[in-house]
Amino acid sequence: MKKLLFLTLLISSLLMAQHDDSTNGILDTNLVLVPEAYHSKVEQVVTTILTKYHYKKTRLNDSLSTVVFDNYIKTLDNNKLYFYQSDIDEFTKDKFLIDDFLLTGNVDFAFNVFNRFKQRLNNRMKYISHRLRKEFDYSVNESYTPHRDELDWAADESELADLWRKRIKNDALNKRLAGDDWEKISTDLLKRYQNFQRIILQYKAEDVFQLYMNAFSAAIDPHTNYLSPITSENFDISMSRSLEGIGAQLRSVDGYTTVASIIGGGPADKSKQLFEDDRIVAVGQGNDGEMVDVVGWRLDDVVQLIRGKKGTIVQLEILRADDTPDMPTEKITITREKVKLEDQSAKADTIFLNQNGSSYKLGVVRVPAFYIDFKARARGDLDYKSTTRDVKKLITDLQGAQVDGIIIDLRNNGGGSLQEAIELTGLFIEDGPVVQVKDSRGDIQVDEDPNPDIFYDGPMAVLVNRYSASASEIFSAAIQDYGRGLVIGEQSFGKGTVQNLFDLNRMIRFGDTKLGNVKLTIAKFYRINGSSTQKKGVLPDISYPGYDRDEFGEASYPSSLKWDQIPSSDYDKYDSLKKYLPELIKKHKDRIKGNLDFQFLTQDIDEYEMNKGKKSFSLNEEVRKSEREKAEARKKEREEERKKKAELKVVDKDEVSSKETKIDDYLLEESGRILADLINLKYG
């Protein structure tokens, strides 16, 4: 699965406010966009920032030019469904000149390509409108290839028309199999593509400039971005955690708006209906609002539909993570709320397990983000919120309950405050370094635990997954390097870089025009043992089945910075847990052999690996129907097996005693059993 990497600002949006260009409300399809007067100067300043102050120290040359060129074309038409080969041939004359354009402030290339894209889109809309007047023949044996990024561009109108005929037929067949008649199918599909056209027609010059600058920044580093003035405002909203919406971080993958992670405590998290890697195919307002198909839309525009006022309802039509594009979708409803700092506060729970002939009471501390209320601390509030302060209180309560050990759950924790990661680590070690930071000059700063005391010295484990990133990796890496606790789960995300925000308004003036910002990578994180967390992330001591690293995490980004190593800092290990690992791993593997949930997880991974190699899908109704029925039968079989397992746990006293917690989270349960094994081996 190829990922689009150019527009992954967390919760940003282009607020399209262009007025209709005619009195009847129809947008001008022939409007040609031209650069704003200030774009030339901004381009030169952004180029200077990215080439001189970025950690990577990138040189402008023909090699970089080709990457920017490819990025920009993919940003507009990654599936090769609008441009002809002749268009690409024409654009290619500038392929090796982009470095010169960036230096001189020439943005004509970006606008010429965008205006041609808009022209081709308008041509496609004429074809779509005409083709949807007649129903398709679903008995023909032919196939559709949804991902064309590795295929050739269409040579002429006839070839492109046939590609679109198959695409529309595929969409129509999905709706037909969902029970829609042709009248509804044709109406809905026409609206889908008209809505997408309208979005493009509403683009302003600043929107095009942002696309182009981010094609440039993505060639250097996936976490470096140009933020237009409006996008900057939305970035500030997301950083203040006061966004009204569903509480999910989104990204664009193969034309689908895909859930990157669920924000702990937010509406999506509370609903238990939306999960990582689910794809959003349509969005509706209210309980019965019209569903707007968003397949192929830009991330920013989809986010704009999903966001809304607190208390309002948004409908989402979802294609689940492990389903192929020909599978049926599900519709869910979520009530929007304001995602606040308090919603992401750390929380604790207690679980009880019977194992090794003994009963264990374990504390679980869920840390969804590394947060701190800077404003409250600055004004002298003695009870300001922070991750470390909250976790300290939770551990005090757990110690009062006399738990045998503690699990710090960092799954889906995308990071946050570096200082909080350092101080949280300090609760579990006496003193010493926690993380090393290397800047673009090569200078290395070692950040140490500010508190010489150890707050909790009992048995502990840290649970991570592929979405545990940045500050989460700093914490878990330090716990692992000190031998302070076991790290369990999937290999973490691998984001080992530091970003800072440059306000262009402080660097240049252009009358009263409000300019944007540049989010720039300025440093890298390193573990105390000298290894970077970049790309590799943190490898667990005991690993759970996981997906291919080429598909997920920092390593999946073509422009991600490399992994490297610096000298180890000076630190004393708290303990060595390696001697226990062979026995712990053996017990873990023996236990999960008969675990239904782990079997399902392995099957899901195997099925994903098999499906990702599937390039095309049948457009024959009977074949597609048969494939769906098989997939739905597999799901039903799993649900029945899970139901039997749940009933067994309720009625079988030998399986679950009155002193054991019934845990719905099988990964957490197994982590608890691993920690119980460690307690038995080390202290038993």
Side-chain angles (χ1 to χ4, degrees), residues 89-329:
D89 292 341
E90 181 182 339
F91 301 150
T92 301
K93 73 179 188 300
D94 290 331
K95 188 170 187 175
F96 300 105
L97 299 176
I98 292 177
D99 53 339
D100 299 320
F101 296 158
L102 292 169
L103 284 170
T104 59
N106 185 338
V107 293
D108 291 344
F109 165 77
F111 282 82
N112 290 339
V113 173
F114 180 82
N115 285 320
R116 181 69 59 83
F117 169 72
K118 191 163 67 170
Q119 178 185 342
R120 296 305 185 213
L121 170 62
N122 293 335
N123 291 341
R124 284 309 98 209
M125 281 307 306
K126 293 176 183 176
Y127 171 80
I128 292 166
S129 178
H130 173 76
R131 186 60 193 81
L132 284 172
R133 295 173 187 171
K134 180 182 178 183
E135 191 166 6
F136 295 97
D137 180 357
Y138 302 106
S139 65
V140 177
N141 286 317
E142 58 181 352
S143 61
Y144 167 64
T145 303
H147 306 306
R148 303 193 62 259
D149 51 320
E150 295 181 0
L151 301 179
D152 294 332
W153 297 91
D156 52 34
E157 171 59 29
S158 175
E159 186 178 341
L160 194 58
D162 192 56
L163 291 173
W164 271 92
R165 178 188 64 80
K166 290 180 178 179
R167 177 177 180 173
I168 301 166
K169 183 178 180 180
N170 178 72
D171 296 337
L173 182 53
N174 280 334
K175 290 182 174 295
R176 180 180 172 90
L177 291 172
D180 293 345
D181 60 25
W182 174 246
E183 183 178 355
K184 183 174 182 351
I185 290 170
S186 57
T187 301
D188 287 351
L189 290 182
L190 184 59
K191 284 183 179 178
R192 169 193 291 190
Y193 293 112
Q194 284 176 336
N195 283 333
F196 178 66
Q197 181 192 33
R198 188 173 184 84
I199 289 288
I200 299 303
L201 294 178
Q202 289 175 321
Y203 266 50
K204 295 181 179 179
E206 180 60 31
D207 303 323
V208 177
F209 183 70
Q210 180 176 238
L211 294 179
Y212 181 51
M213 286 294 94
N214 280 318
F216 173 29
S217 67
I220 298 174
D221 162 43
H223 304 291
T224 292
N225 306 98
Y226 166 76
L227 286 71
S228 71
I230 291 176
T231 304
S232 296
E233 292 176 11
N234 285 280
F235 182 79
D236 291 340
I237 291 172
S238 70
M239 288 297 99
S240 68
R241 305 182 196 275
S242 61
L243 181 68
E244 292 180 351
I246 64 172
Q249 295 178 352
L250 308 174
R251 61 180 174 180
S252 181
V253 181
D254 290 332
Y256 288 101
T257 297
T258 304
V259 179
S261 63
I262 302 294
I263 298 173
D269 182 41
K270 293 174 182 176
S271 77
K272 304 302 179 188
Q273 298 181 88
L274 189 67
F275 307 97
E276 287 81 13
D277 295 325
D278 284 348
R279 288 155 286 178
I280 300 171
V281 299
V283 180
Q285 309 302 325
N287 282 313
D288 52 4
E290 178 187 355
M291 298 300 292
V292 177
D293 199 306
V294 295
V295 176
W297 282 35
R298 303 189 195 291
L299 177 66
D300 306 311
D301 305 319
V302 180
V303 169
Q304 186 63 17
L305 283 182
I306 295 174
R307 284 172 57 179
K309 291 184 178 180
K310 176 182 177 181
T312 59
I313 290 173
V314 61
Q315 296 180 72
L316 301 177
E317 190 175 333
I318 303 298
L319 184 65
R320 293 300 180 190
D322 54 352
D323 286 343
T324 53
D326 57 327
M327 293 293 106
T329 57

Side-chain angles (χ1 to χ4, degrees), residues 6-153:
F6 326 111
L7 301 174
T8 54
L9 299 179
L10 298 183
I11 308 289
S12 61
S13 63
L14 301 171
L15 301 180
M16 304 306 173
Q18 181 172 316
H19 295 291
D20 289 350
D21 292 294
S22 62
T23 55
N24 61 4
I26 303 299
L27 291 166
D28 183 1
T29 60
N30 297 315
L31 180 66
V32 174
L33 289 180
V34 296
E36 298 288 354
Y38 60 87
H39 281 155
S40 177
K41 186 63 177 176
V42 171
E43 180 184 44
Q44 290 175 296
V45 173
V46 171
T47 299
T48 299
I49 292 172
L50 265 57
T51 54
K52 290 191 175 181
Y53 302 108
H54 190 280
Y55 181 88
K56 201 172 178 178
K57 291 292 188 294
T58 301
R59 293 179 59 188
L60 288 177
N61 52 33
D62 288 352
S63 178
L64 181 73
S65 291
T66 60
V67 177
V68 178
F69 176 90
D70 291 341
N71 284 353
Y72 188 58
I73 297 297
K74 287 178 182 177
T75 298
L76 295 174
D77 188 10
N78 79 301
N79 233 5
K80 301 181 179 178
L81 286 168
Y82 296 96
F83 290 131
Y84 298 115
Q85 181 63 55
S86 58
D87 293 324
I88 302 302
D89 292 341
E90 181 182 339
F91 301 150
T92 301
K93 73 179 188 300
D94 290 331
K95 188 170 187 175
F96 300 105
L97 299 176
I98 292 177
D99 53 339
D100 299 320
F101 296 158
L102 292 169
L103 284 170
T104 59
N106 185 338
V107 293
D108 291 344
F109 165 77
F111 282 82
N112 290 339
V113 173
F114 180 82
N115 285 320
R116 181 69 59 83
F117 169 72
K118 191 163 67 170
Q119 178 185 342
R120 296 305 185 213
L121 170 62
N122 293 335
N123 291 341
R124 284 309 98 209
M125 281 307 306
K126 293 176 183 176
Y127 171 80
I128 292 166
S129 178
H130 173 76
R131 186 60 193 81
L132 284 172
R133 295 173 187 171
K134 180 182 178 183
E135 191 166 6
F136 295 97
D137 180 357
Y138 302 106
S139 65
V140 177
N141 286 317
E142 58 181 352
S143 61
Y144 167 64
T145 303
H147 306 306
R148 303 193 62 259
D149 51 320
E150 295 181 0
L151 301 179
D152 294 332
W153 297 91

Side-chain angles (χ1 to χ4, degrees), residues 512-559:
D512 295 329
T513 301
K514 187 175 181 180
L515 306 177
N517 291 274
V518 173
K519 182 160 69 75
L520 188 74
T521 297
I522 58 169
K524 285 177 73 176
F525 291 128
Y526 294 83
R527 301 168 67 136
I528 56 176
N529 68 9
S531 174
S532 173
T533 55
Q534 175 65 10
K535 292 185 87 168
K536 283 190 177 182
V538 178
L539 293 168
D541 298 304
I542 298 178
S543 296
Y544 291 157
Y547 291 85
D548 188 345
R549 290 293 295 172
D550 290 338
E551 302 294 326
F552 299 97
E554 187 79 7
S556 67
Y557 298 149
S559 62

Side-chain angles (χ1 to χ4, degrees), residues 551-656:
E551 302 294 326
F552 299 97
E554 187 79 7
S556 67
Y557 298 149
S559 62
S560 60
L561 273 62
K562 295 179 180 179
W563 174 90
D564 64 342
Q565 201 160 8
I566 62 174
S568 172
S569 53
D570 186 18
Y571 67 99
D572 296 321
K573 271 185 168 289
Y574 176 89
D575 198 355
S576 178
L577 301 178
K578 285 188 177 179
K579 59 187 176 184
Y580 303 110
L581 288 179
E583 184 67 16
L584 290 172
I585 292 171
K586 181 180 181 303
K587 287 178 177 293
H588 160 65
K589 288 185 175 179
D590 287 344
R591 202 161 37 236
I592 67 172
K593 280 179 185 176
N595 186 300
L596 196 63
D597 290 308
F598 273 93
Q599 290 173 13
F600 286 159
L601 175 59
T602 303
Q603 290 171 16
D604 286 342
I605 294 170
D606 291 342
E607 191 171 331
Y608 171 80
E609 291 297 323
M610 180 181 67
N611 286 336
K612 76 175 185 179
K614 191 175 181 181
K615 303 295 184 182
S616 61
F617 301 92
S618 174
L619 293 175
N620 181 291
E621 183 175 7
E622 292 304 314
V623 173
R624 181 77 70 86
K625 192 174 182 180
S626 174
E627 291 173 346
R628 281 197 174 194
E629 287 172 350
K630 288 177 182 177
E632 289 170 356
R634 284 198 303 271
K635 284 186 178 181
K636 186 177 180 181
E637 184 180 346
R638 283 192 180 187
E639 289 170 2
E640 289 175 351
E641 287 187 66
R642 281 198 172 104
K643 186 178 179 182
K644 287 178 183 177
K645 179 191 173 190
E647 289 172 349
L648 174 67
K649 282 204 167 189
V650 171
V651 302
D652 192 335
K653 293 181 181 179
D654 293 330
E655 175 118 357
V656 179

